[in-house]
Amino acid sequence: MIRTAVLALGLGVATAGVAAAQGPDAGAAARAAAEALSDAQVRLDQAEGAQDRVQALTGAVRAYEAGLAAMRDGLRAASLREAQLDRELDARETEVAQLLGVLQALGQAETPQRLLHPDGPLGAARSGMLVASVTPALAEEAERLRADLSEVATLRALQQDAEARLRAGLSSLQEARAELSRAIADRTDLPRRFTADPDRTAALIAATETLDGFASGLAALEPGEGSAAAPTIADRKGALPLPVPAQVLRRSGEADAAGVTRPGLVLATRPEALVTTPVPATLRYRGPLLDYGLVSILEPEPDLLFVFAGLGTVFGEVGEVLPEGAPVGLMGGSEALSPSGEGALSQRSETLYMEVREGSRTVDPLTWFATDKG
């Protein structure tokens, strides 16, 4: 009630001006995220007639994931800013009430009454000077309050609009993922280095008890002659992008909560995030393995293996030579709107375990891959 009354006094700047002045970051982030989602929809529409439909749909999925991530981050920032303003305004409730009383008294006083003073004209003049010196400060404080209240209103409107965009974007992303899965299943134009031998692979799985043992055995299995030669990527060592947008949870050799250390990276990803190959590579294995869930093993060049474990879905056929950026799988879990009512996507995450093997030994993946946080 008090805050509404201050807004009604008409002091300060117009609401549109306040929104532009107070929330440029939130507004710019929302516009950028909305544009990213629009671009993703365009990509999805264009994928229908694309010559390389898998590549087009991969771009659409990645665009949707980036747009939703931007919208999610913007909503989180807006929610935090609104909570901060609410706390500040609640703490100033008494001050606001006093300010409102003074402003209303100034607004209701009639001009002749203002000129009357017990000490005569000189007292009236002095009182006028005092009021004149105080009024700008009161107006400034009222303007500052109005700006805060207007920013709160802008942030709330932004979140309401963003929630609708999130729902639509999430629905379109699920559609794009389903289309991508179908397009990969229908793909027949990839070159092959070899044809998979299920019996040899099954025997290898049965004979090994660790990921290290399986990867070593797989590397020792000669794939045989094929139509596609494996390229070399030595010149890109240390600069490869991660196979999925992620944060590094644990580096090579870092112990987890149980004190267990592993030679690979543990990456935190969004649920159902698309995992792609960072370089052209031969798919040496895909499927369930031990207690690692679904695993995809890529061979970019002889004696070099990239192992991705913990996937929810795996794509491709063993022996295929995948082009750079080709999908190898999706993370598990499910992306959903947060039940908290904030309109943001849930904070749940999945973990991808990644190993790199050179010959018979594992190496720190960061000797090959670059991350945003060094």
Side-chain angles (χ1 to χ4, degrees), residues 211-271:
L211 176 60
D212 181 77
F214 178 79
S216 296
L218 187 67
L221 291 178
E222 290 296 331
E225 297 296 327
S227 59
T232 178
I233 60 168
D235 59 331
R236 298 180 63 182
K237 190 171 185 177
L240 298 181
L242 292 176
V244 60
Q247 291 183 337
V248 177
L249 287 183
R250 281 188 297 278
R251 295 173 180 267
S252 175
E254 288 185 350
D256 61 17
V260 177
T261 62
R262 298 182 187 276
L265 291 180
V266 178
L267 304 172
T269 79
R270 296 297 304 173

Side-chain angles (χ1 to χ4, degrees), residues 3-369:
R3 299 176 190 176
T4 304
V6 173
L7 279 173
L9 289 176
L11 295 174
V13 292
T15 302
V18 170
Q22 295 294 321
D25 292 341
R31 285 191 296 272
E35 289 173 3
L37 290 177
S38 297
D39 176 66
Q41 184 61 53
V42 171
R43 285 172 177 259
L44 182 58
D45 294 339
Q46 293 175 342
E48 185 65 32
Q51 183 174 1
D52 189 339
R53 194 154 181 266
V54 171
Q55 182 181 25
L57 286 167
T58 299
V61 170
R62 276 287 168 86
Y64 269 117
E65 289 180 343
L68 287 172
M71 187 69 75
R72 180 176 58 246
D73 292 343
L75 278 174
R76 187 175 300 116
S79 178
L80 291 173
R81 175 60 177 159
E82 180 187 349
Q84 176 190 2
L85 286 170
D86 278 339
R87 287 194 301 269
E88 292 176 355
L89 290 169
D90 287 341
R92 294 163 56 193
E93 194 74 20
T94 301
E95 175 189 345
V96 170
Q98 293 173 345
L99 172 63
L100 177 61
V102 173
L103 291 175
Q104 288 178 330
L106 289 175
Q108 294 172 358
E110 298 180 2
T111 302
Q113 291 178 331
R114 294 179 188 173
L115 296 178
L116 296 177
H117 194 278
D119 294 332
L122 181 59
R126 288 174 177 170
S127 297
M129 293 173 62
L130 180 61
V131 171
S133 64
V134 172
T135 299
L138 292 173
E140 182 179 348
E141 177 63 20
E143 182 176 338
R144 186 161 49 248
L145 175 63
R146 176 172 179 140
D148 288 345
L149 294 172
S150 296
E151 185 179 358
V152 169
T154 300
L155 292 172
R156 288 175 180 169
L158 172 66
Q159 291 178 80
Q160 291 173 357
D161 177 69
E163 181 171 354
R165 290 181 181 273
L166 276 174
R167 291 185 183 279
L170 191 55
S171 175
S172 295
L173 174 56
Q174 299 290 27
E175 176 188 349
R177 285 171 175 154
E179 289 292 325
L180 178 60
S181 296
R182 286 191 287 269
I184 292 173
D186 295 340
R187 181 174 56 189
T188 59
D189 59 343
L190 288 183
R192 283 180 174 270
R193 283 191 62 210
F194 64 94
T195 300
D197 187 336
D199 293 336
R200 294 174 70 189
T201 303
L204 177 59
I205 292 176
T208 56
E209 298 180 352
T210 65
L211 176 60
D212 181 77
F214 178 79
S216 296
L218 187 67
L221 291 178
E222 290 296 331
E225 297 296 327
S227 59
T232 178
I233 60 168
D235 59 331
R236 298 180 63 182
K237 190 171 185 177
L240 298 181
L242 292 176
V244 60
Q247 291 183 337
V248 177
L249 287 183
R250 281 188 297 278
R251 295 173 180 267
S252 175
E254 288 185 350
D256 61 17
V260 177
T261 62
R262 298 182 187 276
L265 291 180
V266 178
L267 304 172
T269 79
R270 296 297 304 173
E272 299 182 274
L274 180 64
V275 181
T276 60
T277 172
V279 291
T282 302
L283 182 60
R284 293 297 306 269
Y285 176 79
R286 73 163 180 92
L289 182 63
L290 304 174
D291 60 347
Y292 286 90
L294 293 178
V295 175
S296 182
I297 300 181
L298 305 176
E299 185 181 56
E301 61 182 42
D303 295 324
L304 178 65
L305 295 179
F306 294 162
V307 181
F308 304 143
L311 296 161
T313 303
V314 287
F315 298 138
E317 297 297 331
V318 173
E320 289 179 335
V321 180
L322 305 176
E324 181 174 338
V328 297
L330 296 170
M331 296 303 298
S334 60
E335 191 92 273
L337 289 176
S338 172
S340 64
E342 295 176 356
L345 294 176
S346 63
Q347 298 298 301
R348 291 173 297 175
S349 66
E350 298 293 313
T351 55
L352 178 72
Y353 177 67
M354 182 173 72
E355 274 190 10
V356 175
R357 301 184 63 86
E358 295 178 358
S360 61
R361 66 189 183 94
T362 56
V363 299
D364 184 349
L366 294 183
T367 61
W368 283 92
F369 289 85

